[in-house]
Amino acid sequence: MRNLKTTYCFVKVIILLCLFQCISAANAQTVELTIRVTSNAQLPVSNATVEIDGQRSITDSSGKFLQLLENGNHIINVSAVGHYSSFVTISLLSDTTIHIILLQKDNELSNIVVTAGKNNKREMSFYALDIDQLKKLPVILGETDPLKTITLLPGIKNGGEAGSGIYVRGGGPDQNLILLDNIPVYNPNHLLGFFSVFNGEAIKDVTVKKGDMNAAYGGRLSSVISIDTREGNKDSLKYSGGIGLISSKLSVEGPLVKNKASFILSGRRTYIDQAAKVFAKKTIGNNGYYFYDINAKADYEINNNNKLLFTFYTGKDEFTYTNDKSNLFNANWGNMIAGLSWKQQVLQGKLKQSVSLIYNTFNLDSYYGYDLTDYIFTSAVNDYQFKNDWSYTPSGKFNLHWGLQHIWHRFKPGAGDVTEGVQEFKTKVNNQFARETAVYLSAGFKISSRLRATTGLRYSYFNQVGPTEMMLYNESGSPTGETASYKKGQRIAHYGFPEPRLNMDYALSAVSSIKLSYTKTIQYLHLATTSGATFPSDIWIPSGQTVQPGAAQQVALGYFRNTPDNNYQFSVETYYKHLQNQIEFKPGAQLLLNQNMEGEMMFGKGSAYGVELLVEKKKGKLTGWIGYTLSKTERTFAQLNNGKAFPYRYDRTHDISVVANYSLNDRWNLSSVFVFGTGNALTMPTGRVNYNIGFNATQRTASYTSMNQYEEINNYRLPAYHRVDICATYTPVPKKKKRFSSSWNFNVYNIYNRQNPYFIYMDINQKEKSLQGKMVYLFPVTPAIGWNFKF
């Protein structure tokens, strides 16, 4: 009841503030200026900086910006990464719309720009990265990877050398909402986590929200990572691509209807398997691994107020291994997504809406054949989603956002079985179904010349339904051996929670501000995985009668400062996050060949807190940033560690990243990355005990077995992780009147050959009769070269 009363009061406050601001806006003696920013290729320029009379703001994803101004003359300066700036002087007497075209710097190397907590941004903990510039950063084996790059930012960590997970402020890898053109991606990894599924040829930019998650987003606890693909050229047909050590990529784009509709199609594939068949057929045989992905996007501007967008992605990984003993292992997994959106603006751009129909799926099939027995591991999740989002901006002092979304989930959580074939097993799997609905309302206010506030409320509802059969569990969480059958649409378990959001921004001066945010988030889907599996084993499980929804509450406070010329930016943020209904598996849990995983789970709580610092240099020949995080992350489970809190496996006390980019001249660009992090926590035995299990009559000796002894969870730290990468990009000056241009990338990963541990295993030193841990290292110094082209 207390929560309901609090929520009711919260809603009343939002409504009253909205009414107050609407009345104030109606009485204001001002005119409205709408600015539309595009490139000379007729593409919208998002995140372009619009400076009006010294006050900076940025354009939205469609390259538009709306501002309420007083009558009279105004000076406008518009700039964007990779484009020439544009200056405009305008005299406003009535509501006006202007179109500004920025010329692209095709033959110049522009600087890497990180947008992080600008004073003119209302969000905290927000970062925007331009993918074109990220191509110049050093990467392993020459593959541009936006997900690996964002781990160079404070508060965002990876799981270690070539780790597949991203951990944001103490959250797990499944607690990040990863979006491709606003479509969720369940598994963003290729090559078991070495690379992401996002092809640099298709991507426009990447944004990260790791604290102040506005009310339009939900379903995950830690962050929103949004990857936007670029639209095709509306003027002429163009090609681009690249050839690297392990893969090649090609992109083609052009107009469908000149200046109104365009398309872009990008593809990427590894060729390690094909090269091995040619050069090492006798050694490799039929073994091999490859991945591919295809991105497609089409857009159509019906008129100035209506636009259609279509996004498609499909990708797959496949690994096959066989030997002379007729043993066969095969694993394949991948995503497919499709989305159609209609964007509309009315009331001279003050009112906007977006309607989207979305489909996405992730499938995993693993097969191991030995003699006449087949071992199967398979899982899948399919979503059908409807979204409708609205925004209303009557003035520069007030804006309102609201919307709804509904998702139809279907799960195939078949953990595995012993059977005669994959298809036979899939027919035995009990699918699960769920419905997830959310509505939200968010309002932004300019309370005074210094104080801004954004407040919002999201209400989410989750309903697990039939048809399916469910295992019944007793109060201790053990299966009873009985099952319950549910008909189509019959309710199994349901949950509903309010999720309030609040952001305050107080400007101390024209170049500095203090920001405060509070966010509550709910997550209804959980990722069940085990590090004991030697192949992909991800299974998404819905909340239900046994599995409770995860919940998180986070408070963050930050100080942000720019220099007057915007050359340097400094920010420091501190945060505290409390997590509930976190999932771990019981010691010795069996996930493979087990379709009743709910009985293997434990539920506990967690906490995470820390301080993050970021210093950026944004202009000049030398640009880059230094990021530092001091943090602590813990988990508490009644069944583990005697109920005492223990470090989360990816708790990292210190995390440092230094990124530098130097434009030597028009042809050469140099960059380097240094990273340092406290070693991951892991549980190690403190001793080993031998037990007598009988007598060996043949050898006439006693038989013993050994058992490791453990005292505490995650009682050991791996050595600190650190390395330096360097990259040089050479761009020949193209010949005049030639459309063809290219560049060469020279990368060296881990230049001083640091042996960073990938994992650790236990071994017995026979000479000293002691138990020792031995580390396995993955990447030594690794050079790479790549060639990129466009015409």
Side-chain angles (χ1 to χ4, degrees):
M1 291 299 294
R2 181 177 298 177
N3 288 336
L4 289 175
K5 290 181 179 179
T6 302
T7 302
Y8 177 66
C9 293
F10 196 82
V11 172
K12 287 199 300 183
V13 170
I14 293 177
I15 294 173
L16 289 174
L17 287 173
C18 292
L19 292 174
F20 173 77
Q21 292 293 333
C22 287
I23 294 172
S24 299
N27 294 327
Q29 299 298 318
T30 55
V31 296
E32 181 182 281
L33 173 64
T34 301
I35 298 176
R36 182 188 176 202
V37 183
T38 65
S39 68
N40 53 306
Q42 298 298 314
L43 300 176
V45 181
S46 62
N47 293 321
T49 300
V50 179
E51 183 175 323
I52 303 177
D53 302 331
Q55 298 295 318
R56 295 189 181 98
S57 297
I58 64 172
T59 59
D60 60 18
S61 60
S62 61
K64 294 183 179 180
F65 169 75
L66 185 147
Q67 179 70 55
L68 202 66
L69 299 171
E70 295 180 357
N71 292 336
N73 297 326
H74 299 276
I75 299 175
I76 303 172
N77 177 21
V78 181
S79 61
V81 175
H83 298 76
Y84 293 101
S85 299
S86 176
F87 292 87
V88 177
T89 300
I90 188 171
S91 179
L92 292 179
L93 299 176
S94 60
D95 292 351
T96 304
T97 298
I98 62 174
H99 181 198
I100 295 178
I101 299 176
L102 300 182
L103 297 178
Q104 294 176 315
K105 296 179 179 180
D106 290 331
N107 301 326
E108 294 189 13
L109 291 176
S110 48
N111 298 324
I112 297 174
V113 174
V114 179
T115 301
K118 285 186 177 181
N119 290 329
N120 51 48
K121 292 292 295 179
R122 298 187 184 183
E123 302 98 335
M124 275 188 69
S125 312
F126 173 87
Y127 299 97
L129 305 176
D130 187 282
I131 195 65
D132 290 334
Q133 309 311 314
L134 295 182
K135 291 179 180 180
K136 298 179 178 65
L137 288 180
V139 288
I140 187 168
L141 298 176
E143 281 292 315
T144 301
D145 193 335
L147 291 192
K148 296 298 181 185
T149 303
I150 66 174
T151 61
L152 299 173
L153 298 170
I156 307 174
K157 308 168 186 177
N158 60 27
E161 190 75 89
S164 61
I166 294 178
Y167 303 82
V168 179
R169 288 184 172 176
D174 63 326
Q175 295 177 0
N176 305 302
L177 180 61
I178 300 177
L179 302 171
L180 180 66
D181 286 343
N182 286 317
I183 304 174
V185 178
Y186 280 101
N187 189 317
N189 302 303
H190 279 314
L191 197 57
L192 303 177
F194 284 66
F195 306 108
S196 76
V197 300
F198 305 112
N199 182 353
E201 287 298 316
I203 297 172
K204 179 176 64 174
D205 55 36
V206 182
T207 59
V208 183
K209 295 176 182 288
K210 58 189 174 76
D212 175 31
M213 195 184 303
N214 62 52
Y217 298 102
R220 301 295 188 271
L221 299 184
S222 292
S223 72
V224 178
I225 302 171
S226 181
I227 294 96
D228 291 329
T229 57
R230 61 190 182 92
E231 297 177 8
N233 191 291
K234 290 184 173 62
D235 181 61
S236 60
L237 197 64
K238 294 184 179 296
Y239 302 87
S240 62
I243 300 175
L245 289 181
I246 67 168
S247 71
S248 292
K249 49 198 173 185
L250 178 66
S251 177
V252 57
E253 59 183 293
L256 293 171
V257 178
K258 195 167 185 179
N259 297 329
K260 290 185 68 69
S262 68
F263 78 95
I264 179 171
L265 178 65
S266 300
R268 176 176 59 163
R269 192 192 192 278
T270 58
Y271 36 69
I272 301 175
D273 57 327
Q274 301 300 318
K277 290 179 180 179
V278 175
F279 298 105
K281 177 65 178 178
K282 293 183 179 180
T283 305
I284 301 299
N286 294 321
N287 301 326
Y289 170 85
Y290 74 90
F291 73 75
Y292 74 86
D293 45 43
I294 298 173
N295 291 80
K297 188 171 186 177
D299 67 283
Y300 176 56
E301 290 191 13
I302 302 172
N303 51 44
N304 290 335
N305 296 322
N306 292 272
K307 186 175 184 178
L308 293 177
L309 293 165
F310 175 75
T311 296
F312 175 81
Y313 168 87
T314 184
K316 182 180 179 181
D317 290 62
E318 182 156 351
F319 173 70
T320 301
Y321 172 79
T322 184
N323 59 22
D324 296 334
K325 298 180 180 180
S326 300
N327 296 340
L328 172 66
F329 173 73
N330 176 266
N332 63 84
W333 63 97
N335 303 274
M336 185 173 71
I337 67 174
L340 178 64
S341 298
W342 167 42
K343 295 186 177 182
Q344 181 189 40
Q345 60 179 13
V346 294
L347 299 179
Q348 297 180 335
K350 296 180 180 180
L351 181 64
K352 300 179 182 180
Q353 73 145 338
S354 174
V355 178
S356 300
L357 298 175
I358 293 170
Y359 169 79
N360 64 312
T361 181
F362 169 71
N363 286 280
L364 164 64
D365 290 314
S366 298
Y367 166 88
Y368 176 68
Y370 180 77
D371 291 336
L372 300 177
T373 305
D374 297 335
Y375 298 87
I376 307 299
F377 184 98
T378 182
S379 70
V381 56
N382 305 92
D383 287 351
Y384 298 87
Q385 182 178 172
F386 169 80
K387 290 179 61 179
N388 186 205
D389 300 293
W390 292 80
S391 66
Y392 178 56
T393 309
S395 71
K397 297 182 179 180
F398 173 70
N399 62 78
L400 191 65
H401 300 268
W402 69 95
L404 63 90
Q405 65 179 133
H406 184 75
I407 307 175
W408 292 263
H409 295 291
R410 182 178 67 176
F411 304 89
K412 296 181 180 179
D417 204 351
V418 181
T419 181
E420 296 180 357
V422 175
Q423 295 303 322
E424 179 183 341
F425 169 65
K426 286 186 174 181
T427 62
K428 298 179 181 179
V429 175
N430 293 323
N431 293 338
Q432 297 184 31
F433 301 88
R435 307 289 182 258
E436 185 174 353
T437 303
V439 294
Y440 73 91
L441 173 65
S442 177
F445 313 94
K446 186 176 181 180
I447 300 174
S448 68
S449 59
R450 292 179 177 267
L451 181 62
R452 290 179 177 267
T454 301
T455 182
L457 179 66
R458 180 184 181 91
Y459 186 86
S460 58
Y461 178 79
F462 189 84
N463 187 17
Q464 187 185 16
V465 297
T468 190
E469 288 189 357
M470 303 288 294
M471 176 67 69
L472 297 179
Y473 298 87
N474 57 29
E475 294 181 356
S476 63
S478 301
T480 63
E482 299 178 352
T483 60
S485 297
Y486 296 90
K487 298 179 181 179
K488 183 177 181 180
Q490 184 178 355
R491 177 182 295 175
I492 300 173
H494 66 102
Y495 302 92
F497 293 96
E499 304 175 42
R501 317 285 168 87
L502 176 64
N503 176 278
M504 305 290 289
D505 181 348
Y506 183 77
L508 299 173
S509 66
V511 295
S512 63
S513 64
I514 295 177
K515 301 183 182 183
L516 173 69
S517 70
Y518 167 78
T519 305
K520 180 180 180 181
T521 49
I522 301 294
Q523 180 166 334
Y524 297 103
L525 309 185
H526 309 273
L527 181 63
T529 187
T530 172
S531 59
T534 56
F535 53 89
S537 55
D538 291 352
I539 301 176
W540 286 90
I541 297 175
S543 297
Q545 294 176 338
T546 302
V547 180
Q548 302 290 312
Q553 296 186 74
Q554 179 177 265
V555 177
L557 176 66
Y559 171 75
F560 304 84
R561 184 176 181 86
N562 298 349
T563 55
D565 59 359
N566 204 35
N567 191 17
Y568 292 90
Q569 289 188 351
F570 168 80
S571 67
V572 56
E573 290 188 41
T574 182
Y575 67 90
Y576 176 81
K577 181 192 291 185
H578 177 70
L579 301 131
Q580 295 175 297
N581 296 330
Q582 300 302 287
I583 292 178
E584 289 285 349
F585 290 99
K586 297 176 181 177
Q590 177 64 38
L591 293 190
L592 302 181
L593 310 180
N594 182 359
Q595 295 192 55
N596 304 309
M597 286 182 298
E598 291 87 347
E600 304 284 356
M601 295 179 179
M602 300 177 296
F603 304 95
K605 59 184 180 180
S607 64
Y609 50 91
V611 178
E612 302 166 358
L613 292 91
L614 182 67
V615 179
E616 307 167 61
K617 186 178 186 299
K618 305 180 72 65
K619 296 180 180 180
K621 284 184 171 292
L622 177 65
T623 59
W625 71 85
I626 299 175
Y628 171 71
T629 304
L630 174 66
S631 62
K632 186 175 183 61
T633 304
E634 294 182 325
R635 295 289 189 269
T636 305
F637 291 81
Q639 302 97 318
L640 296 177
N641 209 43
N642 296 319
K644 297 186 295 182
F646 57 89
Y648 185 45
R649 66 176 64 92
Y650 297 107
D651 171 60
R652 191 172 298 170
T653 307
H654 303 282
D655 190 79
I656 302 172
S657 60
V658 180
V659 177
N661 183 76
Y662 185 74
S663 180
L664 188 62
N665 51 44
D666 290 344
R667 297 186 180 186
W668 284 98
N669 189 84
L670 308 177
S671 61
S672 180
V673 169
F674 167 74
V675 294
F676 174 91
T678 303
N680 290 338
L682 73 160
T683 303
M684 295 288 289
T686 55
R688 176 172 285 193
V689 177
N690 294 328
Y691 291 91
N692 188 325
I693 59 173
F695 184 79
N696 189 321
T698 303
Q699 299 181 1
R700 303 186 64 80
T701 58
S703 296
Y704 292 89
T705 187
S706 299
M707 181 176 294
N708 292 334
Q709 288 182 314
Y710 298 88
E711 292 183 359
E712 295 182 343
I713 301 295
N714 291 341
N715 59 341
Y716 181 77
R717 290 276 182 178
L718 288 173
Y721 180 95
H722 55 87
R723 72 172 200 275
V724 170
D725 310 327
I726 61 173
C727 175
T729 301
Y730 174 69
T731 306
V733 176
K735 296 180 180 180
K736 293 183 178 180
K737 299 182 180 180
K738 294 288 185 178
R739 294 181 58 190
F740 183 86
S741 62
S742 66
S743 65
W744 290 88
N745 290 84
F746 306 93
N747 287 272
V748 182
Y749 182 89
N750 193 10
I751 190 170
Y752 57 79
N753 200 31
R754 164 69 178 179
Q755 294 181 327
N756 290 301
Y758 184 48
F759 65 87
I760 191 169
Y761 68 95
M762 304 307 299
D763 193 19
I764 297 176
N765 188 321
Q766 297 292 348
K767 185 178 292 187
E768 298 181 4
K769 303 297 181 182
S770 62
L771 185 67
Q772 295 180 342
K774 294 188 176 181
M775 298 179 186
V776 175
Y777 308 98
L778 194 59
F779 287 112
V781 55
T782 307
I785 185 172
W787 180 62
N788 299 303
F789 62 88
K790 61 180 179 178
F791 61 92

